[in-house]
Amino acid sequence: MHRPQVDTALLDGLRAQARFLGASATGLLPATRVRVEERFARMCAVPTPCPSYGLAPGCPPHAMSPEAFKLYLQDFQTALVFKIDAPVEDLLGPKRLDLARAIHRIAATLEHSALSRGMAKAQGMAAGSCKELFCAQEQACAVLAHKRPCRSPDLARPSLSAVGVDFSALAALLNWPFGKLAATTVGGEPAMGLMAGLVLLGR
């Protein structure tokens, strides 16, 4: 079935907005080229469960399954991917939470911008669990525990890893260096890594 392409001016505007909000770089891909594998979602639970496992709607086992997400991607034309480059030390330390919050904020803002400009199926996704990032002081998620609206609807977005997105494959398609976070210095300089999010776009 033919699907209309996303307007170039809209894409350019969203990419510029991402950079304005703090993204180091952006990239565009057909949405169906986002690689999804069950094993990445499974890592949230085994061998050691993530501390946020089961605590948020966007995390397993409540998140969309990888198989369902593959089908979901077929409803979109384009994936706008963005990243924030940061020292590995920050990505592995306490500053990780601030970086993840920034990724969620960018994803949510771009989603809202796309929706307001006719992208009826825009969906932002980000790194990290919204429970840890926005409701760490709350005993339980309002959505899961009480069937109430999200406390941070303008910030919290579903987790990329929860639905099985293979970010290393995504980074390779965009020619973004990406590897295991290990080294702390390279030639005397801080080793760099990245954190990322994306917005799926469709009419």
Side-chain angles (χ1 to χ4, degrees), residues 143-165:
V143 177
L144 294 180
H146 308 296
K147 308 299 182 185
R148 295 175 183 169
C150 175
R151 296 183 179 97
S152 302
D154 294 330
L155 294 172
R157 287 300 176 269
S159 165
L160 285 170
S161 57
V163 296
V165 171

Side-chain angles (χ1 to χ4, degrees), residues 38-50:
E38 173 69 33
R39 63 189 176 100
F40 293 107
R42 197 162 52 240
M43 288 177 185
C44 294
V46 295
T48 302
C50 168

Side-chain angles (χ1 to χ4, degrees), residues 85-93 96 99 179-186 190-194:
D85 293 324
V88 168
E89 182 179 3
D90 291 350
L91 293 168
L92 295 176
R96 173 184 65 86
L99 289 166
K180 185 176 181 180
L181 299 180
T184 55
T185 60
V186 177
M192 298 295 290
L194 62 89

Side-chain angles (χ1 to χ4, degrees), residues 5-16:
Q5 296 299 306
V6 179
D7 181 71
T8 300
L10 170 60
L11 294 174
D12 289 344
L14 291 174
R15 296 180 77 176

